[in-house]
Amino acid sequence: MIKNLPTALALSLVAAAITGCTQSASNPTDGGSSATGNPLSFGDGLRTADPSAHVWSDGKIYVYTSHDEECQEDFWMKDWYAFSSTDLKNWQTHGPLLSVDDLTWADNYAWAPDAAYKNGKYYLVFPAGTGHKDRVNPKNSTKWMGIGIAESDSPTGPFKDMIGAPLWRTPYANDPSMFVDDDGQAYLYVHAKDRDYHVIKMADDMRSTEGKLVKMDMGGYEPKMEGPWVFKRGEYYYFTMPENNRVLTYYMAKSPMGPWQYKGEIMGQENNSNNHHSIVEYQGQWLLFYHRWLDIDSACGRQRHSAAEYLYFNDDGTIQPIERTDKGVSDFATKVKAN
Ligand code: FUB
């Protein structure tokens, strides 16, 4: 919790310059409310962002999120949560699953996490870092971020950082997405300094990487991006991302390492602010989880809230564009029953 509100507001304005998010407290009509479906009713007064959804063998859907402090200071974030459900309306809170206080190598920037399951273990893959970003004099910045991986016997932790170090120190990296293919090989995609559109294989024990970051063939289109998310449906792999940090777009391929073909927009930008998403199939229904910057209940103007929408494919495997709705997936239980 930020105690010095004027300082917090000043820093929020600096962050706004970066995210492009206008932190206006005067527009309460542009958001949904949890009573209607979006944002998702995660409860406990927690502000969440960067939702990564997975369905595990217990039949529940789990959404792993980062956790925004109230009136967050320039994305200074401390811990990660998960939320589980069977109807996407009633959610159970789990966490914190892990905190930067549990790490020996980072003390801040608990940014967008992902999760994976392999060989009977659950993994929380997460970015974290140290230092300070000087937005006025970037040359004075000391900020560094890397990717960690923590292990548990349960999807809800407690997760333990078994390596006690990041997977690598250079290049600077965040926003990990871990995709485990049908043959058990895990692939790690990241947003990294000078290494976007790269992938690295994980070793079988998931405690180290194998080989180098490999540059993928993106068919000649490589805009600024962050927050990659890779999934498979039928014969196609999908590489999806917030293009320019705001617009959700995607590529398709026949292999998890490409070559990829750009297919265009899934969801447009909102409030000129960042978005971060995941895509998963649950009970036969494909779903998009993402976050919105909404001015609902905060003295600090727009803050981030996790949300979800239905996602549909065309016959050729391409994804139909999605609009943000207030209703979201609140009728999921009846919808899947009817199918
Ligand atoms: O939540 C912190 C950062 O903001 C994430 O890592 C990015 O993807 C953006 O959502």
Short mmCIF file of all heavy atoms in Angstrom, two decimals, residues 10-45:
data_model
loop_
_atom_site.label_atom_id
_atom_site.label_comp_id
_atom_site.label_asym_id
_atom_site.label_seq_id
_atom_site.Cartn_x
_atom_site.Cartn_y
_atom_site.Cartn_z
N ALA A 10 1.88 11.42 -8.41
CA ALA A 10 2.89 11.96 -9.32
C ALA A 10 3.53 10.82 -10.11
O ALA A 10 3.69 10.89 -11.32
CB ALA A 10 3.96 12.73 -8.53
N LEU A 11 3.87 9.73 -9.39
CA LEU A 11 4.49 8.60 -10.07
C LEU A 11 3.53 7.93 -11.03
O LEU A 11 3.90 7.46 -12.09
CB LEU A 11 5.00 7.59 -9.04
CG LEU A 11 6.32 8.03 -8.40
CD1 LEU A 11 6.56 7.31 -7.10
CD2 LEU A 11 7.48 7.82 -9.36
N SER A 12 2.23 7.92 -10.65
CA SER A 12 1.24 7.34 -11.55
C SER A 12 1.19 8.11 -12.85
O SER A 12 1.03 7.54 -13.93
CB SER A 12 -0.15 7.36 -10.93
OG SER A 12 -0.20 6.46 -9.87
N LEU A 13 1.37 9.43 -12.73
CA LEU A 13 1.34 10.25 -13.95
C LEU A 13 2.54 9.94 -14.83
O LEU A 13 2.45 9.88 -16.04
CB LEU A 13 1.30 11.74 -13.58
CG LEU A 13 -0.04 12.20 -13.05
CD1 LEU A 13 0.07 13.61 -12.49
CD2 LEU A 13 -1.12 12.16 -14.13
N VAL A 14 3.70 9.69 -14.17
CA VAL A 14 4.88 9.32 -14.94
C VAL A 14 4.61 7.98 -15.63
O VAL A 14 4.87 7.79 -16.82
CB VAL A 14 6.12 9.19 -14.02
CG1 VAL A 14 7.30 8.67 -14.81
CG2 VAL A 14 6.44 10.55 -13.43
N ALA A 15 4.03 7.02 -14.87
CA ALA A 15 3.72 5.72 -15.46
C ALA A 15 2.74 5.89 -16.60
O ALA A 15 2.82 5.22 -17.62
CB ALA A 15 3.14 4.78 -14.40
N ALA A 16 1.80 6.82 -16.42
CA ALA A 16 0.81 7.05 -17.47
C ALA A 16 1.47 7.47 -18.77
O ALA A 16 1.05 7.09 -19.86
CB ALA A 16 -0.19 8.11 -17.04
N ALA A 17 2.53 8.26 -18.61
CA ALA A 17 3.23 8.71 -19.81
C ALA A 17 3.80 7.51 -20.55
O ALA A 17 3.87 7.47 -21.77
CB ALA A 17 4.35 9.67 -19.43
N ILE A 18 4.20 6.48 -19.78
CA ILE A 18 4.79 5.30 -20.39
C ILE A 18 3.70 4.38 -20.95
O ILE A 18 3.77 3.89 -22.06
CB ILE A 18 5.61 4.51 -19.33
CG1 ILE A 18 6.68 5.43 -18.76
CG2 ILE A 18 6.19 3.25 -19.92
CD1 ILE A 18 7.55 6.10 -19.77
N THR A 19 2.68 4.13 -20.13
CA THR A 19 1.64 3.21 -20.58
C THR A 19 0.70 3.90 -21.54
O THR A 19 -0.05 3.26 -22.25
CB THR A 19 0.79 2.72 -19.40
OG1 THR A 19 0.15 3.86 -18.81
CG2 THR A 19 1.62 2.00 -18.37
N GLY A 20 0.73 5.23 -21.53
CA GLY A 20 -0.22 5.96 -22.35
C GLY A 20 -1.56 6.00 -21.66
O GLY A 20 -2.56 6.44 -22.22
N CYS A 21 -1.63 5.55 -20.41
CA CYS A 21 -2.91 5.51 -19.72
C CYS A 21 -3.16 6.83 -19.03
O CYS A 21 -2.40 7.25 -18.17
CB CYS A 21 -2.90 4.41 -18.67
SG CYS A 21 -4.36 4.45 -17.65
N THR A 22 -4.22 7.51 -19.40
CA THR A 22 -4.56 8.74 -18.72
C THR A 22 -5.23 8.38 -17.41
O THR A 22 -6.25 7.72 -17.39
CB THR A 22 -5.52 9.58 -19.56
OG1 THR A 22 -6.57 8.73 -19.97
CG2 THR A 22 -4.81 10.15 -20.77
N GLN A 23 -4.66 8.80 -16.31
CA GLN A 23 -5.14 8.39 -15.01
C GLN A 23 -6.25 9.31 -14.54
O GLN A 23 -6.22 9.84 -13.45
CB GLN A 23 -3.98 8.38 -14.01
CG GLN A 23 -2.85 7.46 -14.42
CD GLN A 23 -3.06 6.07 -13.90
OE1 GLN A 23 -3.38 5.89 -12.73
NE2 GLN A 23 -2.89 5.07 -14.72
N SER A 24 -7.23 9.53 -15.39
CA SER A 24 -8.33 10.41 -15.04
C SER A 24 -9.29 9.72 -14.09
O SER A 24 -9.66 8.57 -14.27
CB SER A 24 -9.09 10.80 -16.31
OG SER A 24 -10.41 11.09 -16.01
N ALA A 25 -9.70 10.45 -13.04
CA ALA A 25 -10.63 9.87 -12.08
C ALA A 25 -12.05 10.26 -12.43
O ALA A 25 -12.95 10.11 -11.63
CB ALA A 25 -10.27 10.33 -10.68
N SER A 26 -12.26 10.80 -13.63
CA SER A 26 -13.55 11.42 -13.88
C SER A 26 -14.42 10.67 -14.88
O SER A 26 -15.36 11.21 -15.40
CB SER A 26 -13.31 12.83 -14.42
OG SER A 26 -12.58 12.71 -15.62
N ASN A 27 -14.11 9.43 -15.15
CA ASN A 27 -14.90 8.75 -16.16
C ASN A 27 -15.38 7.39 -15.67
O ASN A 27 -14.88 6.35 -16.08
CB ASN A 27 -14.08 8.59 -17.44
CG ASN A 27 -14.91 8.00 -18.55
OD1 ASN A 27 -16.12 7.85 -18.40
ND2 ASN A 27 -14.26 7.65 -19.65
N PRO A 28 -16.34 7.38 -14.74
CA PRO A 28 -16.73 6.12 -14.13
C PRO A 28 -17.63 5.27 -15.01
O PRO A 28 -18.01 4.17 -14.63
CB PRO A 28 -17.48 6.57 -12.87
CG PRO A 28 -18.03 7.91 -13.21
CD PRO A 28 -17.09 8.51 -14.21
N THR A 29 -17.96 5.73 -16.20
CA THR A 29 -18.93 4.98 -17.00
C THR A 29 -18.28 4.05 -18.01
O THR A 29 -18.96 3.34 -18.71
CB THR A 29 -19.83 5.95 -17.79
OG1 THR A 29 -18.98 6.76 -18.58
CG2 THR A 29 -20.67 6.81 -16.88
N ASP A 30 -16.95 4.08 -18.09
CA ASP A 30 -16.34 3.32 -19.17
C ASP A 30 -15.98 1.89 -18.79
O ASP A 30 -15.35 1.20 -19.55
CB ASP A 30 -15.10 4.04 -19.70
CG ASP A 30 -14.07 4.19 -18.63
OD1 ASP A 30 -14.36 3.86 -17.47
OD2 ASP A 30 -12.98 4.64 -18.94
N GLY A 31 -16.40 1.43 -17.64
CA GLY A 31 -16.04 0.09 -17.25
C GLY A 31 -17.23 -0.78 -16.95
O GLY A 31 -18.34 -0.33 -16.80
N GLY A 32 -16.96 -2.09 -16.86
CA GLY A 32 -18.01 -2.99 -16.41
C GLY A 32 -18.02 -3.00 -14.91
O GLY A 32 -17.27 -2.27 -14.27
N SER A 33 -18.85 -3.81 -14.33
CA SER A 33 -18.78 -3.99 -12.90
C SER A 33 -18.83 -5.48 -12.66
O SER A 33 -19.39 -6.23 -13.46
CB SER A 33 -19.92 -3.30 -12.19
OG SER A 33 -20.96 -4.21 -12.00
N SER A 34 -18.23 -5.92 -11.57
CA SER A 34 -18.13 -7.35 -11.35
C SER A 34 -19.51 -7.97 -11.25
O SER A 34 -19.68 -9.15 -11.52
CB SER A 34 -17.30 -7.63 -10.11
OG SER A 34 -17.79 -6.89 -9.05
N ALA A 35 -20.53 -7.18 -10.90
CA ALA A 35 -21.89 -7.73 -10.79
C ALA A 35 -22.37 -8.21 -12.15
O ALA A 35 -23.21 -9.09 -12.25
CB ALA A 35 -22.82 -6.68 -10.24
N THR A 36 -21.83 -7.62 -13.23
CA THR A 36 -22.32 -8.00 -14.56
C THR A 36 -21.38 -8.96 -15.28
O THR A 36 -21.67 -9.36 -16.39
CB THR A 36 -22.51 -6.74 -15.43
OG1 THR A 36 -21.27 -6.06 -15.50
CG2 THR A 36 -23.58 -5.83 -14.88
N GLY A 37 -20.27 -9.29 -14.71
CA GLY A 37 -19.38 -10.28 -15.36
C GLY A 37 -17.97 -9.79 -15.53
O GLY A 37 -17.03 -10.44 -15.13
N ASN A 38 -17.80 -8.62 -16.15
CA ASN A 38 -16.46 -8.04 -16.30
C ASN A 38 -16.38 -6.74 -15.53
O ASN A 38 -17.32 -5.94 -15.63
CB ASN A 38 -16.15 -7.78 -17.77
CG ASN A 38 -15.52 -8.97 -18.44
OD1 ASN A 38 -14.87 -9.78 -17.78
ND2 ASN A 38 -15.71 -9.08 -19.74
N PRO A 39 -15.32 -6.48 -14.80
CA PRO A 39 -14.18 -7.36 -14.56
C PRO A 39 -14.61 -8.62 -13.80
O PRO A 39 -15.68 -8.67 -13.20
CB PRO A 39 -13.25 -6.52 -13.72
CG PRO A 39 -13.73 -5.13 -13.79
CD PRO A 39 -15.16 -5.19 -14.13
N LEU A 40 -13.74 -9.61 -13.81
CA LEU A 40 -14.03 -10.86 -13.11
C LEU A 40 -14.08 -10.61 -11.61
O LEU A 40 -13.34 -9.79 -11.08
CB LEU A 40 -12.94 -11.88 -13.43
CG LEU A 40 -12.94 -12.35 -14.89
CD1 LEU A 40 -11.63 -13.04 -15.23
CD2 LEU A 40 -14.12 -13.27 -15.16
N SER A 41 -14.97 -11.35 -10.96
CA SER A 41 -15.17 -11.20 -9.51
C SER A 41 -14.15 -12.00 -8.74
O SER A 41 -14.48 -13.04 -8.18
CB SER A 41 -16.56 -11.71 -9.14
OG SER A 41 -17.47 -10.71 -9.20
N PHE A 42 -12.92 -11.58 -8.73
CA PHE A 42 -11.90 -12.33 -8.00
C PHE A 42 -11.98 -12.07 -6.49
O PHE A 42 -11.48 -12.86 -5.71
CB PHE A 42 -10.51 -11.98 -8.52
CG PHE A 42 -10.16 -12.64 -9.82
CD1 PHE A 42 -9.10 -12.17 -10.58
CD2 PHE A 42 -10.86 -13.73 -10.29
CE1 PHE A 42 -8.75 -12.79 -11.78
CE2 PHE A 42 -10.52 -14.36 -11.49
CZ PHE A 42 -9.46 -13.87 -12.23
N GLY A 43 -12.61 -10.94 -6.11
CA GLY A 43 -12.87 -10.71 -4.69
C GLY A 43 -11.65 -10.30 -3.89
O GLY A 43 -10.58 -10.04 -4.43
N ASP A 44 -11.85 -10.23 -2.59
CA ASP A 44 -10.79 -9.89 -1.63
C ASP A 44 -10.16 -8.53 -1.88
O ASP A 44 -9.08 -8.24 -1.37
CB ASP A 44 -9.68 -10.96 -1.62
CG ASP A 44 -10.17 -12.27 -1.02
OD1 ASP A 44 -11.24 -12.26 -0.38
OD2 ASP A 44 -9.50 -13.29 -1.21
N GLY A 45 -10.81 -7.70 -2.69
CA GLY A 45 -10.28 -6.36 -2.92
C GLY A 45 -8.95 -6.34 -3.64
O GLY A 45 -8.24 -5.34 -3.64
#
